[in-house]
Amino acid sequence: MHVRWILRSACRVFLSKSSRPQISLFASLVLGICELACCFAVNTTSQAQELWVYAQTNLLVPQEVERMDTLLQRAHKAGYTHLLVADSKFSRLSQLDKRYFDQVEQIKRRAAELGIKLVPAVCSVGYSNDILSLNPNLAEGLPVRESLYQVRSGVANHIPELMTELPALSDRRKWGFIDESLKLEDDHLRSAPPHSQNVRISKKIKLLPFRQYHASVWVKTDGFDTPVEIKVLSKEGRSLSYTNLGVQPTQDWKEHHVTFNSLENEEANLYIGAWGPTRGELRLKQPRLEECGAINLVRRDSAPISVQLEKEDGGRVPLVEGSDFEPWSDPKLGVIPYAGEYEVWHDSPPIRLVKKIPDGSKLRVAYFHTHVVYDGQVSGTASDREFQKLLDEQIARMTRLFPEGDFMMSHDEYRVMGWTEPNIIGLSKDASPGDVLTHNAKHCSEELGRLAPRSKIAVWSDMFDPFHNAVDRYYLVHGSLRGAKAPNSVRIVNWNFDKREESLKHFEGLGHEQILAGYYDANPSQIQRWLDTVVQQKLSKVQGVMYTTWRRDYSKLEEFADLVKSHPWYDQSR
């Protein structure tokens, strides 16, 4: 129970018990004073009660404009105040025609009519595919060193150095293990219910450090709804590959691929199969592992290549790009099936020689390649000045397009970083990933503040949260993210439900206003547990909550708002 409710109740009780006009008049006067005092106290200590909706869209499509218009009207009726808009086209405004901007204006007008603040998402740091469509070579890269190429007829192609051939599936003894329910049928393994706890094949593999590898398997399924994966784990249990295979629950035979970098590892454990299946059939055949050439080769100043000719006496002669060999690139980088998407596996680009070098000559090659995370995520390089320029250009265009908007910085789940040297003024060459992230968040927020001084700036919580992703060993990040900070003026959109007490206190202690990201296509009542924590811990800087859906599921939109407005936090913060 809060002060306003108590004062109101006391005065109303006094009024109801009194029959004397002068006392009733006095009590009415007290009630009015109490209301004014409460309003003054609330208005000087809090600006909360913001109800946000998260919306992914494509405003180039007329049907999407209609959908957004309907969503805005529903949100208004339910009491929502903000709409966080994520549109991949925000990264490519320079490529769009008048039709797109006219449709953006429709949404802006509707939001203004309804009194809903638009919060466009900008600065895709982490999930960077959209902005990388402008320059796919600005993707983060993993280093390859000493890769062997051999010359034939003026072209150098990659040559594997270490035998990595996997055993036949019929020879179970040569595998580390094959789970019990996988039975050999002709040329493949089959598992059907009742499955064993896991359905996998596994083998310890030898690797050369800092080389690029390719693993693949043919898969057939029938009603098998458990993800089929290829995992490569170091001796310490760290994953070297995070690429999803994309196997469908029911499909005919199809080959699936991953690539990975061995990093500093000389051995690892390879797993192919599924964990915890319950239904359907799974068939596997022709597993393969090989060292490969430069798939998704990235080329930029901060990701240099080195090509050296090995001499018979063991010495090496550096070769110069442009004079000794043609400019080297991967023509399929970041354009398959369309700009901003990175194909997991394709033929590696050869090195075409200009200088005449005898057949059989060996080259030692160093380069950087990107890594595709899960279902296509590729991260941009926040430590590179050219990537920062892309962000600056987007900020300039977006602040002109949304002069009355607030803005959401999309620094989120930044899973590959720290392998190339920074080349940005203000960052040392040995800057940690945490330093890089801090610098980039500061730069982006300052640029937004300069061009849109009346706007409020927000950012996702996870990469600045020591109880979430701002940690020492995070995915394929080289170095520590500990200490990463967003400027105190930036609002934190907090989605760390599992450690909400620690996380909320952390950002409160740093002086950040916070918005709670709830729902996530689950039970909408979860938001009340978030708010329980806010009230119990007496946190004063939580300004609002957000209905967050990745599946565009707005079926609980009104229910979510009602749950928030029925919670004591909502009235306390008014």
Side-chain angles (χ1 to χ4, degrees), residues 14 32 194 272 397 430 482 484 515 517:
F14 185 56
I272 302 174
R397 293 179 186 276
D430 59 353
R482 287 192 182 278
I515 306 296

Side-chain angles (χ1 to χ4, degrees), residues 355-367:
K355 181 178 181 178
K356 187 169 181 58
I357 296 177
D359 282 0
S361 297
K362 295 179 179 179
L363 309 180
R364 289 292 175 177
V365 180
Y367 61 89

Side-chain angles (χ1 to χ4, degrees), residues 20-85:
R20 294 170 62 184
Q22 60 269 36
I23 294 179
S24 296
L25 181 62
F26 175 74
S28 298
L29 181 61
V30 170
L31 179 59
I33 293 171
C34 289
E35 289 285 351
L36 288 172
C38 289
C39 289
F40 178 78
V42 169
N43 289 336
T44 55
T45 60
S46 177
Q47 299 293 324
Q49 318 90 349
E50 295 179 12
L51 270 69
W52 292 34
V53 183
Y54 178 83
Q56 291 178 316
T57 188
N58 178 0
L59 295 176
L60 188 60
V61 179
Q63 293 83 351
E64 278 293 285
V65 177
E66 294 175 7
R67 185 180 71 86
M68 291 292 289
D69 187 283
T70 301
L71 179 60
L72 278 165
Q73 294 185 61
R74 282 182 60 194
H76 171 68
K77 289 178 182 177
Y80 287 88
T81 59
H82 291 65
L83 185 75
L84 198 171
V85 187

Side-chain angles (χ1 to χ4, degrees), residues 139-147 208-213 238 240 260-265 291-298 300 302-306 328 365-371 381 416-421 476-479:
E140 284 279 5
L142 300 173
V144 169
R145 302 167 186 165
E146 297 287 304
S147 186
L208 292 172
F210 293 101
R211 300 292 179 89
Q212 192 172 7
Y213 286 85
R238 187 175 191 183
L240 301 179
F260 65 94
N261 192 302
S262 55
L263 303 179
E264 66 276 4
N265 298 282
E291 186 189 344
C292 65
I295 308 298
N296 288 322
L297 165 71
V298 296
R300 59 173 184 272
S302 62
I305 65 168
S306 169
W328 191 35
V365 180
Y367 61 89
F368 290 83
H369 66 90
T370 195
H371 182 72
T381 310
V416 181
M417 69 180 302
W419 296 97
T420 56
E421 284 189 359
L476 295 174
V477 173
H478 181 50

Side-chain angles (χ1 to χ4, degrees), residues 303-318:
I305 65 168
S306 169
V307 179
Q308 296 182 320
L309 173 64
E310 279 193 344
K311 298 171 63 177
E312 291 183 2
D313 62 4
R316 296 188 181 183
V317 178

Side-chain angles (χ1 to χ4, degrees), residues 21 131 161 164 172 236 240 244 276 386 449 457 570:
I131 202 162
E161 281 193 85
T164 55
R172 298 179 84 100
E236 296 76 25
L240 301 179
N244 286 345
E386 294 302 318
I457 313 303
Y570 186 76

Side-chain angles (χ1 to χ4, degrees), residues 119-190:
V119 188
V122 296
C123 302
S124 303
V125 177
Y127 289 88
S128 306
N129 299 67
D130 299 338
I131 202 162
L132 288 173
S133 67
L134 303 174
N135 186 346
N137 283 292
L138 293 175
E140 284 279 5
L142 300 173
V144 169
R145 302 167 186 165
E146 297 287 304
S147 186
L148 178 62
Y149 279 63
Q150 194 167 45
V151 177
R152 285 283 183 273
S153 303
V155 176
N157 282 291
H158 176 263
I159 302 295
E161 281 193 85
L162 188 65
M163 288 297 295
T164 55
E165 186 175 354
L166 297 175
L169 293 176
S170 58
D171 197 346
R172 298 179 84 100
R173 293 173 301 175
K174 290 186 178 179
W175 288 87
F177 64 79
I178 297 179
D179 282 322
E180 183 180 356
S181 66
L182 280 166
K183 306 298 184 183
L184 188 67
E185 291 188 3
D186 299 325
D187 63 343
H188 65 271
L189 294 173
R190 172 179 175 268

Side-chain angles (χ1 to χ4, degrees), residues 329-353:
S329 65
D330 184 348
K332 295 185 176 181
L333 176 74
V335 295
I336 306 295
Y338 50 83
E341 293 298 303
Y342 292 73
E343 188 178 41
V344 172
W345 175 248
H346 50 256
D347 292 337
S348 63
I351 298 173
R352 301 189 181 278
L353 300 168

